[in-house]
PDB file of all heavy atoms in Angstrom:
ATOM      1  N   THR A 534       9.128  29.798 -12.463  1.00 79.00           N
ATOM      2  CA  THR A 534      10.561  30.123 -12.496  1.00 79.00           C
ATOM      3  C   THR A 534      10.741  31.492 -13.145  1.00 79.00           C
ATOM      4  O   THR A 534       9.873  31.979 -13.860  1.00 79.00           O
ATOM      5  CB  THR A 534      11.352  29.080 -13.297  1.00 79.00           C
ATOM      6  OG1 THR A 534      10.711  28.935 -14.558  1.00 79.00           O
ATOM      7  CG2 THR A 534      11.412  27.754 -12.592  1.00 79.00           C
ATOM      8  N   SER A 535      11.925  32.063 -12.868  1.00 77.00           N
ATOM      9  CA  SER A 535      12.242  33.357 -13.471  1.00 77.00           C
ATOM     10  C   SER A 535      13.163  33.138 -14.660  1.00 77.00           C
ATOM     11  O   SER A 535      14.132  32.383 -14.576  1.00 77.00           O
ATOM     12  CB  SER A 535      12.898  34.243 -12.416  1.00 77.00           C
ATOM     13  OG  SER A 535      13.743  35.159 -13.041  1.00 77.00           O
ATOM     14  N   ILE A 536      12.849  33.840 -15.729  1.00 73.00           N
ATOM     15  CA  ILE A 536      13.682  33.712 -16.928  1.00 73.00           C
ATOM     16  C   ILE A 536      15.065  34.287 -16.656  1.00 73.00           C
ATOM     17  O   ILE A 536      16.076  33.798 -17.139  1.00 73.00           O
ATOM     18  CB  ILE A 536      13.012  34.439 -18.114  1.00 73.00           C
ATOM     19  CG1 ILE A 536      11.856  33.590 -18.614  1.00 73.00           C
ATOM     20  CG2 ILE A 536      13.992  34.690 -19.230  1.00 73.00           C
ATOM     21  CD1 ILE A 536      11.258  34.071 -19.892  1.00 73.00           C
ATOM     22  N   GLU A 537      15.081  35.314 -15.807  1.00 69.00           N
ATOM     23  CA  GLU A 537      16.344  35.957 -15.486  1.00 69.00           C
ATOM     24  C   GLU A 537      17.318  34.926 -14.915  1.00 69.00           C
ATOM     25  O   GLU A 537      18.452  34.816 -15.372  1.00 69.00           O
ATOM     26  CB  GLU A 537      16.115  37.077 -14.484  1.00 69.00           C
ATOM     27  CG  GLU A 537      17.289  38.027 -14.370  1.00 69.00           C
ATOM     28  CD  GLU A 537      17.017  39.137 -13.374  1.00 69.00           C
ATOM     29  OE1 GLU A 537      15.937  39.750 -13.459  1.00 69.00           O
ATOM     30  OE2 GLU A 537      17.863  39.362 -12.508  1.00 69.00           O
ATOM     31  N   SER A 538      16.860  34.167 -13.943  1.00 65.00           N
ATOM     32  CA  SER A 538      17.717  33.136 -13.350  1.00 65.00           C
ATOM     33  C   SER A 538      18.150  32.146 -14.414  1.00 65.00           C
ATOM     34  O   SER A 538      19.309  31.724 -14.450  1.00 65.00           O
ATOM     35  CB  SER A 538      16.955  32.380 -12.277  1.00 65.00           C
ATOM     36  OG  SER A 538      16.420  33.264 -11.363  1.00 65.00           O
ATOM     37  N   SER A 539      17.216  31.788 -15.267  1.00 66.00           N
ATOM     38  CA  SER A 539      17.537  30.823 -16.318  1.00 66.00           C
ATOM     39  C   SER A 539      18.664  31.356 -17.179  1.00 66.00           C
ATOM     40  O   SER A 539      19.567  30.617 -17.564  1.00 66.00           O
ATOM     41  CB  SER A 539      16.332  30.564 -17.213  1.00 66.00           C
ATOM     42  OG  SER A 539      15.212  30.393 -16.429  1.00 66.00           O
ATOM     43  N   LEU A 540      18.596  32.666 -17.459  1.00 64.00           N
ATOM     44  CA  LEU A 540      19.635  33.264 -18.294  1.00 64.00           C
ATOM     45  C   LEU A 540      20.982  33.198 -17.598  1.00 64.00           C
ATOM     46  O   LEU A 540      21.982  32.818 -18.198  1.00 64.00           O
ATOM     47  CB  LEU A 540      19.284  34.729 -18.618  1.00 64.00           C
ATOM     48  CG  LEU A 540      18.130  34.912 -19.590  1.00 64.00           C
ATOM     49  CD1 LEU A 540      17.765  36.386 -19.712  1.00 64.00           C
ATOM     50  CD2 LEU A 540      18.474  34.335 -20.955  1.00 64.00           C
ATOM     51  N   VAL A 541      20.991  33.525 -16.302  1.00 68.00           N
ATOM     52  CA  VAL A 541      22.236  33.484 -15.527  1.00 68.00           C
ATOM     53  C   VAL A 541      22.787  32.065 -15.533  1.00 68.00           C
ATOM     54  O   VAL A 541      23.972  31.847 -15.745  1.00 68.00           O
ATOM     55  CB  VAL A 541      21.994  33.994 -14.087  1.00 68.00           C
ATOM     56  CG1 VAL A 541      23.202  33.748 -13.217  1.00 68.00           C
ATOM     57  CG2 VAL A 541      21.648  35.461 -14.102  1.00 68.00           C
ATOM     58  N   THR A 542      21.873  31.104 -15.320  1.00 72.00           N
ATOM     59  CA  THR A 542      22.279  29.696 -15.299  1.00 72.00           C
ATOM     60  C   THR A 542      22.992  29.326 -16.591  1.00 72.00           C
ATOM     61  O   THR A 542      24.060  28.717 -16.575  1.00 72.00           O
ATOM     62  CB  THR A 542      21.030  28.805 -15.126  1.00 72.00           C
ATOM     63  OG1 THR A 542      20.354  29.242 -13.971  1.00 72.00           O
ATOM     64  CG2 THR A 542      21.411  27.365 -14.987  1.00 72.00           C
TER      65      THR A 542
END
Side-chain angles (χ1 to χ4, degrees):
Chain A
T534 52
S535 152
I536 285 189
E537 195 179 311
S538 307
S539 315
L540 289 173
V541 171
T542 305

